[in-house]
Every structure is written in C-alpha cells, then in structure tokens.
Amino acid sequence: MKKPQTIKTVSGMRTLSRKAKAAGKKIALVPTMGYLHEGHVSLARRARKMADLVVASIFVNPAQFGPDEDLDRYPRDFQGDLQKLASAATDYVFFPSVRELYPEGYQTHVEAEKLSRELCGAFRPGHFRGVATVVAKLFNIVQPDLALFGEKDFQQLRVIERMVKDLNFPVRIIGVPTVRDPDGLAMSSRNSYLSATEREHALSLSHSLFLARELVKQGETDPKVLTERARRWVSQNPEARIEYIEVRDAETLEPVKKIDRPCRMLLAVWEGRTRLIDNVRLNPKNN
Amino acid sequence: MKKPQTIKTVSGMRTLSRKAKAAGKKIALVPTMGYLHEGHVSLARRARKMADLVVASIFVNPAQFGPDEDLDRYPRDFQGDLQKLASAATDYVFFPSVRELYPEGYQTHVEAEKLSRELCGAFRPGHFRGVATVVAKLFNIVQPDLALFGEKDFQQLRVIERMVKDLNFPVRIIGVPTVRDPDGLAMSSRNSYLSATEREHALSLSHSLFLARELVKQGETDPKVLTERARRWVSQNPEARIEYIEVRDAETLEPVKKIDRPCRMLLAVWEGRTRLIDNVRLNPKNN
C-alpha cells in the first residue's frame, strides 16, 4: 500500500491539477476534516472507481465552527488518516494550513441562503456559509471533475449541490450512503467524544429513524406521527437534548405535510457535550 | 469584420470552453452589461492581444441593481454591441437570459464583505454582492484564464480581485485604464441618460479629480484638502448631488490620513436622475 503524497500549498495543488487536466485525467475530490472513519474511506473507494486521480483534502475548517463549538478539540490523526487513504488507493492528500486558505485580509463568503438557515443552520448560524465557502475554494484549487460527500451530512450535501448549480461550478456532486456501525450508529469523527454510556444512548438516534422508516413502509404518511414517535424514542434517555427531529422533502429540504414523495427524516441530538446528527430516506409506500 | 458568434446557453458556452481548453487555448473574458462604448472596446482589444479565444459576455445583471435603480431603463443595443465587438475581433458573445443564469430556486451569493460595504456599497446595498456573484458564475461557465475589467468601476475591480484571491479562482484579473471623451468625461453606458446641460455639468466630476491629481503633483498630501477642493468644484452646479468624494488607499480602498502611498480619489455624484462615478490615481510626489 503506497501512502498518498501530501500537498500543503495552494500553488502546489494547482500545479498538480493543471498537469493532470492537461493530460486529460479525470480528478475526484473527497473533502474531509480528517480523523477518518469507514464512511470517509467509502467515499475514497468510490472516488477511486470513478476517476483517474483521487485527491482527498484534510482541513479542519474554522469558518464552519461557531465560537462555542468544538474547533479546538476536534480530533486529529494525520498518520492514521494517511493509512486509511492508502487502503483506498488515494493518490494525493491536500493538507493546507489555516493561514494558507484564509490569509490576512480574507473577507469573501459563499452562501446558499435559504438552505443555510434551515435545520442545522438554525442552530449553527454561519455553519453552512463556512462549508460552502471552503468547498468553493477547494473546487477552485483542485479543479475536480467530481466531488464526493457523505449522506450522513445530508443538509451539507444539499447545500453543496445547490451552490454548484447556482454558481455553475463544473463539478459533478456524488452523494454516498451513510456508513453505520453494526448496531446502527452512524459513523462520525465526533463519536470519539462519546463515553460508553453516551454511545449506548446515542443508538436511539438511528433506531428512532429506522422506526420512522418502518412505519412509512407500513403506510404511515403523516410526518407529525413519525416525528412524535421518534421524539418519544429518543426521549427515553431523559438526558438527551433534541435540537430537531424533522421530516423534509428529500430534494429541497422544505417542510412537508404528507409523505407523498421522496422525503428525509433528519435529526440533531446532544448526548452530553456531543452534538450528533443522522438522517434516513423515507420513501412513500408506492413510490 | 466577422461578427462574433452568439451563445445563449450555459451548456453551449461550457462545451465551447471545454474544447478550447482541451486544445490548450488561452481564454479571455470581457464581462459587460452591453450598450458598449470605447471603454469596453479597449478591454476587448486588450483581451485580443493576450488570449487565443476572446469571449465577451453581455448580461444586464438584475442582482446588482437595487429595487429603485435603473434596471428597467438600462440602455440596450445588441446589434450595435456585436458591431463594436467585431471591430475588436472578439470571437464569442455569451448572451444568456436572466432565467438561464438565475433559474427557479436560485439562492446562492458571493460577497467580499468588507469591500462591499464601502463607498458605492454604502449607497447601493447588495450591489457588489450581485457583481461578485455573477462574475463567479461567469468564471465557472466560461473558465477564462484571464478576465478584464475597466478602472472606471474601480471598486468593482478591487472587489473582483479580492474574490478571486479569497476563493482561489484560477483567473488572472486585468484592470484597464478608464477611457474618456476628449473633454474628460469618463465613458459610461449611463452617460446616454444625460441631457445636454447635465452632460456639461457632469464634466465637473472628472475635472475635480484632475484638479486633485494636479495638487498632489504639486506636493499636497492632505486628503481633506483635496476632497474639499473637489467638493467645491462639483458644487458649483447647485443641482449636483454628491454621494461621496473620497481619497482611499489604492489597493485596500481603506481611508488614508496622508497621501504617502499610491491612493485613489473616487466619487459618486448624481446629475439629475443619473448617478455617475469616476476616479483617478493619486501618486505621492516622490513615489
């Protein structure tokens, strides 16, 4: 297993991309914040199948963290990340410093305004603006033909798709299904924050979503019934703090009154000091 | 003189750019709102010298007009524009509809936040956001190696440069000197709004700037003295409404206390129903 080559500068990355494109190579980008898990690796593996050159970026993006969030304690393991990316035959790791991406005088932002205020955006003001901005930068630096994002961060996926469409980025966006631990917990770098007890309680997130999916399969079409049932399940642990549990249109993420088209149930719940998110597809019975 | 070929769709423009780039051609973009004058033509001529393929865009961008501004009466002359671009040997004109660039559900914006609130930005909220957004879109659609902007819209030039730097667009920005009528009036599509009397009064804009430039040549270094003199000159016409007359750092557009580095005097003045802008370089005597 050959370790991917590390590139730290914008100019280095740009030179490499320019050469690859001049040679007619297809470039895939896997943007990450590092501390990779099997979810990330599945993105890298998928990228490997779709492109000639696979670039993963590792950048803990300050612009997408709020002032009271976990930027300072966000977990990091660069050597472990390189190993995992090597196992997926990733060619390059773009690993810039904060100063490299946000130099003195930096002041430009990109925002998909409507989508950014919904769901997680309502609780994390500026978060999706930070995400859209750094992804726009990565697209301009790496110039990928395609970029892969996990469905675990479903709203992020929709924000990126919207930005790409609205700003006409020549990049194809690929959403890749959430990877879960065998007991159902959605993989997340933030799971490393959880104590054993918290992790056990955290199972209620995915399980409440699976319950909703099952009810829809059985014919339930009322979002209120589903969110109420999910809310009750999660609340069995009295310490869980629910930010939101919602059913939305799977494309626009707008609220729905009835599950009569592809929908998504999404939630954000705090277990102790750890904020977790998860979501599942809800397809109406005869769709 | 061969007329440039017109392209109306994003996909058509994209296909053309992709082919040109695959063939190793250098692409120059001249973004305009049409109703072209000699200033625009000088951009196109300069582009012709610097690139293999010259694309001019003509798009009256609603996003950069305020609700009470002149979007509806902005002058248009597509056939005349084609003639003028032909004279500069422009290859293609990208001429999309509003619907083509801002389809249903559009919601993404790009903003260089600090620069966008200064000077014209203070009087035209959202203007530079609209400019930055449409230019980001044009860059993604046309994929130019370089793009040319007139210094007449000096703050716009700085906003674009900032956006390109901050978002890492792989585009070189070229600022081209303002073209003036023989009597000094800066060329502008909006000059067509002026009555004969207004046009005569409007000469005070460039003349007050030339006065300031002359005073600096003679050793004046106090911005207040310069703006006061310019203000007095423009106010000789009691109907002129001055929005601002300011001396700023030529790079950052931040206020300066002394002209001890390259500066710029910029102004915006209403003559009747017409808002005019102009600016000149102020270089300190021994610089």
Side-chain angles (χ1 to χ4, degrees):
Chain A
M1 271 192 337
K2 209 179 131 233
K3 271 202 192 169
Q5 196 182 314
T6 305
I7 301 166
K8 294 198 167 197
T9 64
V10 169
S11 66
M13 188 66 238
R14 215 194 261 306
T15 304
L16 195 131
S17 283
R18 199 179 293 128
K19 272 188 206 161
K21 286 185 97 72
K25 285 188 185 166
K26 199 180 222 181
I27 303 175
L29 172 66
V30 181
T32 83
M33 298 210 301
Y35 208 75
L36 306 182
H37 50 66
E38 188 53 29
H40 299 107
V41 177
S42 80
L43 298 175
R45 264 196 236 104
R46 178 84 178 276
R48 183 73 282 164
K49 284 185 196 147
M50 298 180 79
D52 305 305
L53 197 85
V54 178
V55 179
S57 62
I58 296 182
F59 182 65
V60 182
N61 176 33
Q64 71 190 69
F65 286 80
D68 298 326
E69 291 184 358
D70 57 341
L71 173 61
D72 292 336
R73 61 180 186 124
Y74 198 85
R76 293 165 199 250
D77 176 16
F78 188 61
Q79 290 309 320
D81 291 347
L82 286 186
Q83 292 281 2
K84 290 186 184 105
L85 291 171
S87 78
T90 298
D91 300 301
Y92 294 95
V93 174
F94 180 49
F95 182 57
S97 68
V98 171
R99 231 12 184 185
E100 182 74 6
L101 287 202
Y102 300 111
E104 175 97 29
Y106 190 95
Q107 59 177 273
T108 306
H109 295 99
V110 180
E111 187 167 24
E113 299 188 357
K114 198 155 160 277
L115 270 171
S116 292
R117 286 191 291 261
E118 302 280 318
L119 302 166
C120 284
F123 296 90
R124 305 185 70 189
H127 170 66
F128 288 113
R129 196 180 79 145
V131 169
T133 301
V134 82
V135 171
K137 285 170 66 66
L138 290 171
F139 285 176
N140 282 337
I141 295 165
V142 178
Q143 299 269 304
D145 297 279
L146 50 123
L148 299 93
F149 295 85
E151 288 187 350
K152 157 65 161 43
D153 299 292
F154 196 76
Q155 188 176 5
Q156 169 177 280
L157 175 62
R158 288 290 182 257
V159 164
I160 300 299
E161 286 172 338
R162 189 75 237 180
M163 174 188 80
V164 163
K165 192 177 173 190
D166 284 353
L167 296 187
N168 308 99
F169 276 100
V171 181
R172 193 178 147 207
I173 302 301
I174 313 283
V176 177
T178 303
V179 177
R180 298 179 180 281
D181 283 339
D183 57 9
L185 186 69
M187 288 201 186
S188 164
S189 307
R190 290 191 170 99
N191 290 351
S192 65
Y193 297 152
L194 299 170
S195 70
T197 316
E198 285 168 347
R199 195 192 171 293
E200 201 161 314
H201 286 153
L203 288 177
S204 69
L205 276 65
S206 55
H207 291 181
S208 68
L209 294 171
F210 299 157
L211 167 65
R213 187 172 58 190
E214 193 50 41
L215 292 171
V216 171
K217 260 189 204 156
Q218 290 168 16
E220 182 58 62
T221 60
D222 186 348
K224 274 193 202 148
V225 170
L226 299 172
T227 52
E228 194 36 56
R229 289 289 295 270
R231 196 169 274 277
R232 246 188 287 158
W233 189 301
V234 173
S235 303
Q236 284 173 2
N237 162 26
E239 280 161 50
R241 268 198 301 130
I242 298 172
E243 268 189 3
Y244 66 82
I245 301 183
E246 301 227 24
V247 175
R248 297 290 179 106
D249 180 289
E251 288 308 314
T252 63
L253 294 187
E254 281 171 7
V256 292
K257 292 203 166 124
K258 194 178 173 190
I259 297 169
D260 52 4
R261 72 200 103 152
C263 290
R264 206 92 191 176
M265 182 178 254
L266 310 101
L267 55 75
V269 176
W270 287 84
E271 299 287 350
R273 284 177 70 208
T274 307
R275 186 178 179 277
L276 299 171
I277 58 172
D278 199 355
N279 67 87
V280 291
R281 178 190 294 146
L282 298 181
N283 278 348
K285 206 178 170 189
N286 300 311
N287 191 292
Chain B
M1 271 190 338
K2 209 179 131 232
K3 271 202 193 170
Q5 196 181 315
T6 304
I7 301 167
K8 294 199 168 197
T9 63
V10 169
S11 65
M13 188 66 238
R14 215 194 263 304
T15 304
L16 195 131
S17 284
R18 200 181 292 130
K19 272 187 206 163
K21 286 184 98 72
K25 286 188 184 165
K26 198 180 223 182
I27 304 176
L29 172 66
V30 180
T32 83
M33 299 210 301
Y35 209 76
L36 306 182
H37 51 65
E38 188 54 28
H40 298 107
V41 177
S42 79
L43 298 175
R45 263 195 236 106
R46 179 84 179 275
R48 182 73 282 165
K49 283 185 196 146
M50 298 180 77
D52 305 305
L53 197 86
V54 178
V55 178
S57 62
I58 296 181
F59 182 65
V60 182
N61 175 34
Q64 69 190 70
F65 287 80
D68 298 325
E69 292 184 358
D70 57 341
L71 174 61
D72 291 337
R73 61 181 186 124
Y74 198 85
R76 294 165 198 251
D77 176 16
F78 188 63
Q79 289 310 319
D81 291 346
L82 287 185
Q83 291 281 0
K84 289 184 185 107
L85 291 170
S87 78
T90 298
D91 299 302
Y92 294 95
V93 174
F94 180 49
F95 181 58
S97 68
V98 171
R99 230 10 183 189
E100 182 74 5
L101 287 203
Y102 300 111
E104 176 99 28
Y106 190 94
Q107 57 177 275
T108 306
H109 295 100
V110 180
E111 188 168 22
E113 298 189 358
K114 198 155 160 279
L115 271 173
S116 292
R117 285 192 291 261
E118 301 280 319
L119 302 167
C120 283
F123 296 89
R124 305 184 70 189
H127 171 65
F128 288 113
R129 196 180 79 145
V131 168
T133 301
V134 82
V135 171
K137 285 170 66 68
L138 290 171
F139 285 177
N140 282 337
I141 295 165
V142 178
Q143 300 268 304
D145 297 279
L146 50 123
L148 299 94
F149 295 84
E151 288 187 350
K152 157 62 160 47
D153 299 291
F154 196 76
Q155 188 177 4
Q156 169 177 279
L157 174 62
R158 289 291 181 257
V159 164
I160 300 299
E161 286 171 339
R162 189 76 236 179
M163 173 188 81
V164 163
K165 191 176 174 190
D166 284 352
L167 297 186
N168 308 98
F169 276 99
V171 181
R172 192 177 148 209
I173 302 301
I174 314 283
V176 177
T178 303
V179 176
R180 299 179 180 280
D181 283 338
D183 56 9
L185 186 69
M187 288 201 185
S188 164
S189 306
R190 289 190 169 101
N191 290 350
S192 65
Y193 297 152
L194 299 170
S195 70
T197 316
E198 285 168 349
R199 195 191 172 291
E200 201 162 313
H201 286 153
L203 288 177
S204 70
L205 276 65
S206 54
H207 290 181
S208 68
L209 294 172
F210 299 158
L211 167 66
R213 186 172 59 189
E214 193 50 40
L215 291 171
V216 171
K217 261 189 203 156
Q218 291 169 15
E220 182 57 63
T221 60
D222 186 346
K224 273 193 200 147
V225 171
L226 299 171
T227 51
E228 193 37 53
R229 290 289 294 271
R231 196 170 275 276
R232 245 188 287 158
W233 189 305
V234 173
S235 302
Q236 284 172 2
N237 162 25
E239 281 162 50
R241 268 199 301 131
I242 297 172
E243 268 188 4
Y244 66 83
I245 301 183
E246 301 226 26
V247 175
R248 297 290 179 105
D249 181 288
E251 287 310 312
T252 64
L253 294 188
E254 282 172 7
V256 293
K257 293 202 164 125
K258 193 177 172 190
I259 296 169
D260 53 4
R261 72 201 102 152
C263 291
R264 205 93 192 177
M265 183 178 254
L266 310 100
L267 54 74
V269 176
W270 287 84
E271 299 287 350
R273 285 177 68 207
T274 306
R275 186 178 179 277
L276 299 171
I277 58 173
D278 199 354
N279 67 87
V280 291
R281 177 189 296 145
L282 298 182
N283 278 348
K285 207 178 170 190
N286 300 313
N287 191 290

